[in-house]
């Protein structure tokens, strides 16, 4: 069993590589819809562009998880970093919509390996009492990295607009290469270190908070639980959660462009307040998950996400809309660490990566269809309809989650 200091060092190097490879995420999310719209794409086509990335992940994540449980985590993590190097270098030469579509597919393969590997390595090395916090730190590392990437990308747009795309992704490829080098030299295999979160969370039902659902009496806490049955039910909940989580961001950008301004300098500020919250809140929200009822917190978060999403089209000025959107993402800073902690509740100790892969596949089904459905609603119903639909669905999912696990408690 590795020492606590050794595991923290491994997590530090894991996050450094994650930081270096994640820099373009915000820049890509901003520039792809804008560039597609400039090329004449409508909201539906933009939705397909965003959903294509998630669609690629669907096929890869279960296979990646299966392979990690048998061949280790490190080879897949290194392969993901290497693939990102080639992806970013390829983006640098992409000047047409078709080439960007191809790049999104390649990026999807890399992301499938990277994200499952990061979650699984973190679960291998982390004590169950701090797992939500550590998962939140991973999210924060990615978010903070995107601020650096945005500074590089938009800085180059201001200085050399005609060459900014090529120059920025060349730099991103170099940074991803440094992340690969760090991981290659400093990050050991973690599969042989299973025993921290895996044994504590997966092997002890009496200590499993999330199966002591919603006020379950203390006399029931030691009762055995049907994990496969719980896992199947949880997976079905993940699809609408992924749907709600992915629908609004691309439609929010299109909505701002159509209703307020197409000035890219002003639009570049639209995600800044939300990004700052994602850079500081996930680890703090993860602490709630670690020391409370995970399912109940997830119910509250989804309900609040629905209410705030429905408020977005109510505001009629650019900056008020930006601020209410930032408020609407706060509940999602809890949803992400909570769903990752919950999957370990139902996983077998020797199938942690496989469980994460299946988790992300079901979540990805929703994430793939969310932007597409949002685009259709935006084009065929009204620009406000995706926000109202998403808000109502989020609240219904929260209610269904509450009732599902309350029923499970009583059976």
């Amino acid at each position: 069993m590795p020492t606590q200091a050794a595991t923290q060092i491994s997590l530090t190097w894991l996050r450094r590589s994650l930081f270096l490879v994640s820099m373009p995420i915000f820049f890509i999310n901003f520039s792809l819809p804008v560039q597609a719209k400039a090329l004449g794409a409508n909201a539906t086509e933009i939705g397909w562009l965003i959903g294509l990335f998630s669609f690629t992940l669907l096929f890869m994540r279960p296979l990646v998880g299966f392979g990690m449980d048998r061949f280790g985590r490190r080879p897949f993590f290194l392969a993901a970093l290497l693939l990102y190097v080639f992806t970013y270098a390829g983006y640098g030469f992409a000047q047409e919509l078709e080439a960007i579509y191809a790049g999104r597919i390649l990026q999807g393969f890399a992301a499938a390996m990277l994200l499952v590997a990061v979650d699984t390595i973190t679960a291998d090395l982390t004590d169950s009492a701090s797992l939500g916090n550590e998962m939140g730190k991973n999210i924060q590392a990615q978010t903070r990295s995107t601020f650096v990437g945005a500074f590089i990308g938009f800085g180059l747009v201001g200085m050399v607009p005609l060459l900014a795309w090529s120059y920025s992704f060349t730099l991103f490829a170099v940074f991803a290469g440094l992340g690969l080098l760090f991981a290659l030299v400093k990050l050991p295999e973690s599969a042989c270190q299973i025993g921290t979160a895996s044994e504590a969370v997966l092997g002890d039902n009496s200590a499993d908070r999330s199966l002591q659902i919603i006020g379950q009496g203390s006399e029931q806490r030691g009762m055995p639980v049907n994990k496969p049955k719980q896992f199947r039910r949880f997976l079905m909940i993940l699809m609408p959660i992924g749907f709600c989580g992915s629908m609004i961001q691309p439609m929010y950008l299109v909505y701002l462009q159509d209703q307020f301004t197409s000035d890219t300098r002003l639009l570049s500020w639209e995600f800044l307040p939300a990004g700052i919250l994602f850079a500081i809140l996930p680890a703090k929200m993860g602490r709630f998950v670690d020391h409370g009822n995970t399912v109940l917190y997830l119910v509250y978060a989804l309900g609040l996400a629905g209410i705030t999403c429905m408020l977005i089209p109510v505001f009629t000025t650019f900056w008020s809309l930006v601020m209410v959107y930032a408020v609407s993402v706060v509940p999602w800073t809890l949803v992400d660490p909570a769903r990752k902690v919950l999957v370990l509740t139902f996983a077998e100790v020797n199938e942690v990566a496989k469980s994460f892969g299946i988790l992300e596949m079901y979540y990805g089904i929703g994430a793939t269809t969310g932007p597409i459905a949002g685009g259709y609603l935006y084009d065929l119903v009204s620009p406000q309809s995706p926000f109202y639909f998403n808000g109502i669905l989020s609240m219904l999912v929260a209610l269904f989650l509450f009732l599902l696990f309350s029923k499970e408690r009583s059976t």
Side-chain angles (χ1 to χ4, degrees):
M1 183 74 63
T3 65
Q4 183 176 0
T7 58
Q8 285 301 317
I9 290 173
S10 294
L11 288 171
T12 297
W13 285 108
L14 174 73
R15 292 187 184 117
R16 286 178 181 174
S17 295
L18 181 64
F19 182 94
L20 288 167
V21 80
S22 300
M23 287 185 183
I25 291 176
F26 176 83
F27 186 64
I28 291 174
N29 289 341
F30 174 86
S31 58
L32 284 181
V34 172
Q35 186 169 355
K37 191 172 180 64
L39 293 173
N42 59 30
T44 300
E45 291 168 329
I46 292 173
W48 274 104
L49 178 62
I50 303 301
L52 182 63
F53 175 76
S54 299
F55 185 75
T56 306
L57 297 179
L58 295 182
F59 298 99
M60 286 296 296
R61 280 171 167 170
L63 296 176
V64 168
F66 180 86
M68 283 184 189
D69 284 328
R70 283 150 183 79
F71 305 110
R73 289 55 158 138
R74 189 171 184 268
F76 287 88
F77 185 67
L78 295 176
L81 294 173
L82 180 62
L83 192 55
Y84 265 115
V85 173
F86 288 109
T87 299
Y88 295 154
Y91 270 140
F93 297 97
Q95 302 296 327
E96 298 179 354
L97 186 60
E98 291 78 7
I100 294 174
Y101 270 88
R104 288 293 278 179
I105 295 174
L106 189 62
Q107 186 184 355
F109 285 110
M113 290 188 284
L114 181 77
L115 299 177
V116 176
V118 168
D119 287 342
T120 306
I121 292 170
T122 302
D124 290 342
L125 300 176
T126 304
D127 184 86
S128 62
S130 59
L131 183 57
N133 181 40
E134 297 297 338
M135 290 291 186
K137 287 181 180 179
N138 293 342
I139 297 171
Q140 290 181 181
Q142 279 193 301
T143 304
R144 292 170 183 177
S145 171
T146 64
F147 278 95
V148 178
F151 178 80
I152 294 172
F154 291 116
L156 288 171
V157 168
M159 292 185 292
V160 284
L162 297 180
L163 299 174
W165 180 271
S166 177
Y167 283 7
S168 61
F169 278 101
T170 299
L171 286 174
F172 294 146
V174 171
F175 287 127
L178 289 175
L180 173 62
L181 180 62
F182 289 159
L184 188 64
V185 175
K186 296 290 187 178
L187 188 66
E189 175 60 59
S190 67
C192 59
Q193 302 176 22
I194 293 175
T196 50
S198 300
E199 290 181 358
V201 175
L202 304 176
D204 185 4
N205 283 330
S206 65
D208 190 350
R209 298 181 311 280
S210 53
L211 291 181
Q212 302 163 14
I213 302 298
I214 310 175
Q216 189 168 350
S218 59
E219 70 277 7
Q220 294 177 300
R221 298 190 182 207
M223 294 177 63
V225 177
N226 186 339
K227 284 190 175 185
K229 180 180 178 181
Q230 290 267 7
F231 194 23
R232 288 192 296 270
R233 292 184 175 185
F234 180 60
L235 290 176
M236 296 306 297
I237 289 288
L238 282 173
M239 287 192 287
I241 292 177
F243 183 97
C244 294
S246 68
M247 174 190 282
I248 292 305
Q249 180 174 308
M251 297 306 105
Y252 165 65
L253 174 56
V254 175
Y255 185 79
L256 285 178
Q257 287 182 284
D258 289 344
Q259 301 296 319
F260 298 101
T261 180
S262 59
D263 186 345
T264 56
R265 292 172 298 179
L266 186 58
L267 289 172
S268 65
W269 291 90
E270 64 179 328
F271 290 114
L272 181 61
I276 292 173
L277 292 175
F278 253 101
I280 61 177
L281 288 182
K284 294 179 175 60
M285 293 296 187
R287 294 191 190 105
F288 284 106
V289 174
D290 290 328
H291 299 100
N293 189 312
T294 308
V295 170
L296 193 56
Y297 279 128
L298 188 56
V299 169
Y300 289 149
L302 289 170
L304 289 173
I307 293 171
T308 53
C309 184
M310 294 179 68
L311 291 175
I312 291 175
V314 174
F315 290 80
T316 57
T317 65
F318 178 86
W319 289 110
S320 64
L321 198 68
V322 168
M323 295 310 298
V324 74
Y325 176 79
V327 173
S328 75
V329 307
V330 171
W332 291 100
T333 65
L334 187 147
V335 171
D336 283 339
R339 67 182 178 87
K340 292 179 180 182
V341 169
L342 278 174
V343 73
L344 289 178
T345 298
F346 314 110
E348 299 298 333
V349 69
N350 61 338
E351 294 185 342
V352 176
K354 177 182 175 182
S355 297
F356 273 118
I358 295 174
L359 162 82
E360 296 298 344
M361 181 188 73
Y362 276 79
Y363 187 84
I365 292 173
T368 301
T369 55
I372 299 170
Y376 278 114
L377 287 171
Y378 191 100
D379 286 335
L380 302 178
V381 181
S382 73
Q384 295 79 21
S385 60
F387 302 99
Y388 294 130
F389 180 84
N390 188 278
I392 294 171
L393 182 60
S394 295
M395 290 186 286
L396 289 176
V397 173
L399 177 62
F400 182 72
L401 181 64
F402 180 87
L403 296 175
L404 178 65
F405 282 91
S406 294
K407 180 179 178 181
E408 186 70 26
R409 175 195 62 179
S410 62
T411 56

